[in-house]
Amino acid sequence: MIYLDNAATTLPDADSLEKASVYLKEKFFNPSAMYREGFELHKEIDAAKKHLLSFITPSSDYDLIFTSSGTEADNQALFNGIKRGNLVVNEGEHAAVYMTAKELKKRGHDVRFAKLLSDGRVDVEHLLSLIDQDTSLVSVMHVNNETGAVNDIEDIADSVKKLAPKAVFHSDGVQAFGKIVYRLSPKIDLYTISAHKIGGVRGVAGLIKRKDFHIDPYIFGGGQENGLRSGTENTFAIKQFEFAAEKRFRTLEADFLKIQEFNRYMREQLNPALFSFVSSKSASPYILCAAIRGIRAEVLLHILNDKGLLIGTGSACSSRNRYSRVILACEIKKELAEGIIRLSFSAHTTKEEIDQAVQILNESVSQLAERMK
């Protein structure tokens, strides 16, 4: 099997699983327990937070709140950020941000949606035109999960705060963390990360926040995570996240260059008469979004599945929709939007898999095109 849907989820890293297994077999205690074993686990969770933060910020100005998913972290960011005035997001946001913004609009908040450029980046000029002194929160994803488009969140955040100094700036960094070189600066107030996109297990993610930014709990109960996210911590998943991230960041730049070469190679080898690319060459190399005219991506996906190639057709969180709202927001016409595929790579992807995938894709799409004549 060749797996090229890593933007949806990645294979949990075997070394990290083995290293963290002690938290299932031996150190299984409740971190909130008052006896020594529980207290020691609580300290290990705090150490994991500091370690994860060190990969993305040299500063001690940030905290990390562990959540159950990137979706929960995004929800906590938006529901906390919109306390007054208006909220500005863009049409290309992951459903975790976009649908939360729609819900806030339903509840009576002034929510404004910025347009996209053709490759999936936010139209910064349009976004800034929506901001005023009453803007409470701006959320711009770092790397688009469907097209791989990279937004310059540092520059955007700087421009936003010049127009609205009190505005909170949030970025969904789920597709960026552990994949592209980046360091957080104080311009970014809230930043979402997730374990299962970089070899961690599903069930743990995090919301990074500036220490001086007040945030209210989103889930109530026993007061874990300094009262900001109740629920008994999943120590195994948290520590495995830490170990997987440590491994990814150790080879971050080398992996980036390797995946960049794979991306370039696929662009050159996929038949240009059959494939056109939505992802720009400046996008994250981990995601390659392509369009096939006259062929439904869902049909192709099942054919490829039978041949041992697993790919995506866009966001796994929006797979029930015939057309991706993100792709339509890029002003891709419906006849092409129906044939969108997403190839996404991981540090474990090999050149042999890329060669085989190119061959299967070219042959399968060519056969389908002939059948459609």
Side-chain angles (χ1 to χ4, degrees), residues 258-311:
K258 179 184 79 169
I259 300 302
Q260 195 172 50
E261 179 58 24
F262 289 168
N263 189 300
R264 182 199 62 77
Y265 180 78
M266 290 201 85
R267 287 175 182 270
E268 292 178 354
Q269 297 301 314
L270 289 174
N271 188 339
L274 302 172
F275 297 88
S276 58
F277 299 104
V278 177
S279 298
S280 71
K281 291 182 180 179
S282 63
S284 166
Y286 283 88
I287 295 174
L288 180 57
C289 180
I292 309 163
R293 187 179 298 275
I295 291 175
R296 287 191 64 182
E298 185 180 350
V299 173
L300 176 62
L301 181 145
H302 294 304
I303 291 171
L304 297 176
N305 199 171
D306 290 341
K307 295 182 178 182
L309 174 60
L310 277 62
I311 67 167

